[in-house]
Amino acid sequence: MTGVKQENFGFNFQLDDFQVEAISCINKLKNVVVCAPTGAGKTVIAEYAIMKALEEGKRLFYTTPLKALSNQKFHDFCEAYGKDKIGLLTGDISINREAQIVVMTTEVFRNMLYGTTLGKVEENLKNVNFVVLDEVHYMNDEQRGTVWEESIIYCSGYINIIALSATIANALELTDWINEVQGETYLVNSDFRPVPLRHFYYSDNCGDNILPLFSSEGRLNKKIKPEKRHRRYIKSSKKDEKTHVKLIKILNDRDMLPAIYFTFSRKRCNAYLGDCQKLKLLNHFEERRLSQIIDEYIVDNPYIARSKQLEYLYHGVAAHHAGLLPGWKGLIEKLFQQGLIKVVFATETLAAGINMPARTTVISSISKRSDEGHRILTPSEFLQMSGRAGRRGMDEVGYVITIGDPYHHPEEIAELASSAANPLESKFTPRYSMVLNLLQRFTIDEARELILKSFGYHTSVERLKPLYTEMERVEDIIEGTANFKCPYSLTTEDIREYNKYKNMFIQYRKTLKMLKKQAPKGQPFPPEIEEYEQKTKELASRVRGSKCDICKNYRKHIRDLDILPRFERKYKRIKDSIEYEKDIYWRQFLNLMKVAELTGHLQENYPTRKGFMTAAARVENEIFFIELIVRGLLDGLSYAELASVLCAVVTEDSRTMFHSKYKISKKARKAIYECQDLMRKLWRIQQEYNVIVPISLTPDYSAFIENWALGVDWQEMVSGAEVDEGDLVRIFKRTLDVLRQLTVIPDVSPELVKTAEMAIKSINRDPVSDVV
């Protein structure tokens, strides 16, 4: 900035080369993609853009994939630049939205680009010079990845994109795509880690030793041997110390804490935590400081005092997973960042987003359960977890310890630890709201142009490479077959004609021989046979008169001509497949249009009144949601009953069976039955047009939210319920989000808006309410 040394760009520390390179791109007002390992210092680049925007009187949007991460960035920026200059938008929270710097979730930014309930696009983006897309590698997310693609495609050309990503294999491909869609874009790619990682191996057989995973030559350490499988009937004694407890003691003795211990189930996180109740990892000063922070936190969040896991905090250990209350996880994060929690047992969700670096990360297994059964971790998943090790400015080295087991050879661990990150893959998915938003502002041809700008379409050439290779091979065969060189300058038709007459001659000769054999012996042949013999001689003369009859290449030529149609059909099939795959997004768009037209949300390629409502909706199946409203299925319900029905709409099919002492009210149950009829009708229409947009209607949590809205105490509600409190809060928050949408979607009746507002007020209380 003005009056500061160029090499530091206003910072009071020396920047790394990749940071300087990225900042230079920002100063040139160019788009930039920054790919660097976790903890390398990508945030410094965004902070420079913030300072530049503030100095020049411009605005900057900072997007993150998670509400929790948005809240964290909001607090950090408020502290650094002043509360008056920072805003926050996360869908359910709006603070100082006109500020120069606004932190938001990526979904909010995408919605701004559509306009709809957030106001006109031009107003939303007024005076915005930069947008920071943090954690842009979330494009790989199966459910939400499309949001990042849409944000980049629809972003106004005058806004400079600063895309920050963890290491990915195809960073250049991502940059090329943004360059194609948004103009000149530079790639800053760095594998620099300010705190290098060292990989280790541990198992029960290692005793008190943690073995280096690699030798000095970069190969698997020869001291590491495969674990032996124990017979099932051999059980460890209860007195035997658990592997994780032994390892934590070793880490404590070697000053390798704090650590994040990754395991892949909530149940195991809680069990491992229970095994640590005898550990004492805090000194006297840390215990006093921890108690003080907990006491202060409980004053603002009294429900925390009832947590069953509270006692473990005083031992310096904690669990962190999606089944815990958000407020509780906030306390864990605060204590861990201050060094007062020494070990956190966490699921891999902690590896993404929240700023909780540690000295050591422990990865309990290199495989995890998925919908398709157990599978090995991907290199990117392993990198994301291991990247949490090593705190810049605090640690000289970050330690990554992988636990061995009998089911995975140590070579597999070494291979995974040394693998490069996975490439980004497009998860672009057209939806009803996308169709109706685009057709509000663009013609169908312009909409097609935008859809074909997706990263998926851009990468289709690479994705379809095997098909292109096969098509080229078949095409070469066809050309080689069709364009053979005849030594006698005959054409393909000449050869086909010769082959036709030759086959006729062979058939005539065979038939003539049979006729003569059947004729009476010693008598002249009948006129019919004489005539047949004459025809056979004519055919023989015609065949022998062709050069093909003496050509050595005839057999090859005719065989090639016989198989040519087969290869031509194969070529057409491959070509059709390529066109189908290339245009898959546009065909999905057209199929969604057909369903929208049939259900009255689209007419003559423009949204109807219902269509404008659907365009403003942000739920899994927007047409289903709006049909519930316009058909009056939500009318006449109390605020608690409305919450109950909408809770069923936002809840996906649950695989976990649990008992609830609460029942859904009769009126809410009747409304859900009516919703099921509508769901079946819409599902049939979608099937007819090959549209796969899920329709959820699962009332598993409806009784909980209905009673919560009626004022039941949280502790009373969850006692005896076989459900994680974090799951309840997450479902309640989803319901709140839909209720808030009811209050802003156009043409919703005033009565329904009022009921939704009452439901919001009754549900949004601790521990469900958002803490910023």
Side-chain angles (χ1 to χ4, degrees), residues 45-193:
I45 297 161
E47 288 171 350
Y48 176 78
I50 289 172
M51 290 191 293
K52 184 176 175 65
L54 290 172
E55 185 180 90
E56 296 177 355
K58 300 295 184 180
R59 300 182 75 206
L60 176 145
F61 288 166
Y62 190 107
T63 77
T64 78
L66 306 169
K67 290 180 182 179
L69 188 54
S70 291
N71 292 343
Q72 188 180 72
K73 291 294 181 186
F74 172 71
H75 285 298
D76 292 346
F77 294 160
C78 281
E79 195 172 320
Y81 309 110
K83 290 183 179 180
D84 59 316
K85 294 182 174 65
I86 311 298
L88 176 66
L89 283 175
T90 59
D92 41 17
I93 296 174
S94 177
I95 300 173
N96 199 15
R97 63 173 294 170
E98 301 301 326
Q100 273 188 269
I101 312 301
V102 183
V103 183
M104 62 187 70
T105 53
T106 315
E107 277 86 353
V108 169
F109 178 63
R110 187 273 312 271
N111 296 345
M112 278 187 168
L113 298 174
Y114 281 143
T116 63
T117 57
L118 289 172
K120 293 181 179 178
V121 178
E122 299 77 17
E123 289 297 317
N124 289 335
L125 304 181
K126 190 176 180 180
N127 208 29
V128 176
N129 250 27
F130 302 99
V131 59
V132 177
L133 298 174
D134 200 0
E135 311 278 355
V136 80
H137 51 270
Y138 262 75
M139 276 177 63
N140 254 354
D141 187 271
E142 198 68 44
Q143 302 296 323
R144 301 169 59 216
T146 185
V147 175
W148 277 261
E149 285 193 56
E150 291 174 57
S151 298
I152 291 169
I153 293 168
Y154 307 140
C155 186
S156 298
Y158 62 84
I159 296 177
N160 297 294
I161 294 173
I162 302 168
L164 308 179
S165 172
T167 307
I168 53 174
N170 55 342
L172 184 58
E173 194 171 32
L174 173 66
T175 307
D176 287 343
W177 171 62
I178 298 177
N179 188 75
E180 186 180 288
V181 172
Q182 286 293 343
E184 200 169 0
T185 305
Y186 291 88
L187 170 64
V188 177
N189 207 350
S190 173
D191 58 2
F192 170 74
R193 277 194 64 94

Side-chain angles (χ1 to χ4, degrees), residues 333-433:
E333 290 156 16
K334 184 175 184 178
L335 292 172
F336 190 83
Q337 287 162 5
Q338 295 195 28
L340 299 174
I341 294 292
K342 301 301 181 180
V343 179
V344 169
F345 295 104
T347 53
E348 73 269 33
T349 53
L350 183 63
I354 298 300
N355 180 27
M356 281 181 65
R359 179 167 293 170
T360 300
T361 58
V362 180
I363 300 172
S364 63
S365 174
I366 61 165
S367 68
K368 68 173 187 176
R369 188 183 296 277
S370 68
D371 291 340
E372 291 77 36
H374 268 88
R375 65 165 178 83
I376 297 291
L377 298 174
T378 66
S380 286
E381 287 171 336
F382 189 89
L383 274 171
Q384 195 77 27
M385 286 184 280
S386 59
R388 287 288 167 194
R391 300 164 297 176
R392 188 169 188 164
M394 298 177 70
D395 301 321
E396 292 183 5
V397 175
Y399 303 101
V400 181
I401 302 170
T402 307
I403 307 295
D405 60 52
Y407 308 102
H408 303 100
H409 196 282
E411 287 283 3
E412 291 181 86
I413 296 175
E415 183 182 350
L416 190 59
S418 58
S419 294
N422 299 98
L424 278 186
E425 294 179 9
S426 174
K427 299 296 187 288
F428 187 72
T429 311
R431 304 188 70 84
Y432 293 119
S433 57

Side-chain angles (χ1 to χ4, degrees), residues 289-327:
R289 179 70 183 128
L290 178 133
S291 295
Q292 182 185 352
I293 293 174
I294 291 175
D295 291 344
E296 290 171 356
Y297 197 87
I298 288 175
V299 170
D300 294 327
N301 306 276
Y303 61 90
I304 294 293
R306 298 195 292 255
S307 173
K308 296 175 183 177
Q309 295 188 2
L310 186 61
E311 62 175 297
Y312 296 104
L313 300 187
Y314 297 97
H315 297 274
V317 292
H320 190 292
H321 54 72
L324 299 170
L325 290 172

Side-chain angles (χ1 to χ4, degrees), residues 463-691:
R463 182 166 47 88
L464 301 175
K465 215 170 190 176
L467 282 176
Y468 278 112
T469 302
E470 180 63 8
M471 188 169 77
E472 286 176 13
R473 186 186 74 83
V474 173
E475 190 175 26
D476 289 342
I477 292 172
I478 292 170
E479 287 181 0
T481 302
N483 300 327
F484 71 90
K485 291 183 179 179
C486 175
Y488 302 104
S489 302
L490 297 181
T491 65
T492 300
E493 289 306 313
D494 293 333
I495 297 169
R496 288 190 187 280
E497 188 174 272
Y498 166 77
N499 191 60
K500 182 180 79 171
Y501 284 114
K502 183 182 179 182
N503 289 335
M504 286 175 64
F505 164 67
I506 292 169
Q507 188 62 41
Y508 265 82
R509 187 175 61 183
K510 185 178 177 182
T511 306
L512 180 64
K513 188 177 180 181
M514 186 181 64
L515 289 172
K516 283 183 176 182
K517 195 174 182 180
Q518 292 173 350
K521 294 181 180 179
Q523 296 182 18
F525 290 123
E528 293 85 1
I529 295 179
E530 296 286 350
E531 188 178 332
Y532 211 90
E533 187 173 22
Q534 181 60 34
K535 181 67 175 175
T536 305
K537 288 177 180 178
E538 290 174 5
L539 288 170
S541 174
R542 187 159 193 164
V543 167
R544 288 167 188 150
S546 171
K547 295 293 184 183
C548 289
D549 205 50
I550 57 172
C551 181
K552 295 177 181 177
N553 296 324
Y554 162 72
R555 288 182 182 277
K556 180 182 182 308
H557 288 165
I558 198 64
R559 187 173 64 249
D560 287 348
L561 287 174
D562 282 344
I563 65 173
L564 183 62
R566 195 167 70 212
F567 278 101
E568 286 173 337
R569 288 194 297 272
K570 186 172 183 179
Y571 179 84
K572 186 177 183 304
R573 280 199 308 271
I574 295 172
K575 190 176 180 181
D576 289 346
S577 293
I578 288 172
E579 291 305 312
Y580 181 88
E581 288 298 323
K582 276 175 66 177
D583 284 346
I584 192 165
Y585 304 115
W586 181 240
R587 258 194 329 280
Q588 288 173 359
F589 191 93
L590 293 175
N591 290 343
L592 290 166
M593 280 182 63
K594 289 172 185 173
V595 175
E597 285 171 353
L598 203 64
T599 53
H601 294 251
L602 191 68
Q603 188 174 6
E604 296 179 356
N605 296 339
Y606 193 77
T608 60
R609 184 183 69 84
K610 283 199 298 186
F612 276 98
M613 296 172 72
T614 307
R618 295 289 174 270
V619 291
E620 193 165 42
N621 193 305
E622 302 92 333
I623 282 183
F624 176 61
F625 178 50
I626 298 304
E627 287 294 324
L628 295 181
I629 299 169
V630 297
R631 293 179 183 226
L633 298 183
L634 305 179
D635 293 344
L637 299 174
S638 70
Y639 64 90
E641 291 161 349
L642 177 63
S644 181
V645 174
L646 291 182
C647 180
V649 172
V650 301
T651 304
E652 299 168 0
D653 288 340
S654 174
R655 295 184 180 181
T656 306
M657 299 297 291
F658 54 84
H659 172 73
S660 170
K661 58 188 173 185
Y662 298 108
K663 303 296 179 186
I664 303 171
S665 65
K666 188 175 180 181
K667 204 169 181 181
R669 197 182 312 120
K670 182 175 182 292
I672 290 171
Y673 287 149
E674 290 171 347
C675 294
Q676 286 175 337
D677 290 338
L678 174 61
M679 181 180 74
R680 284 189 284 267
K681 289 174 185 175
L682 182 57
W683 186 254
R684 283 195 291 269
I685 295 171
Q686 288 192 161
Q687 282 187 311
E688 185 180 347
Y689 290 100
N690 199 28
V691 167

Side-chain angles (χ1 to χ4, degrees), residues 6-7 9 15-28 30-35 45 48 186-190:
Q6 179 69 12
E7 63 269 18
F9 292 105
L15 297 180
D16 298 324
D17 289 344
F18 84 94
Q19 294 168 331
V20 172
E21 188 182 348
I23 287 172
S24 298
C25 294
I26 292 171
N27 284 333
K28 293 175 186 174
K30 304 299 182 187
N31 301 319
V32 61
V33 175
V34 183
C35 289
I45 297 161
Y48 176 78
Y186 291 88
L187 170 64
V188 177
N189 207 350
S190 173

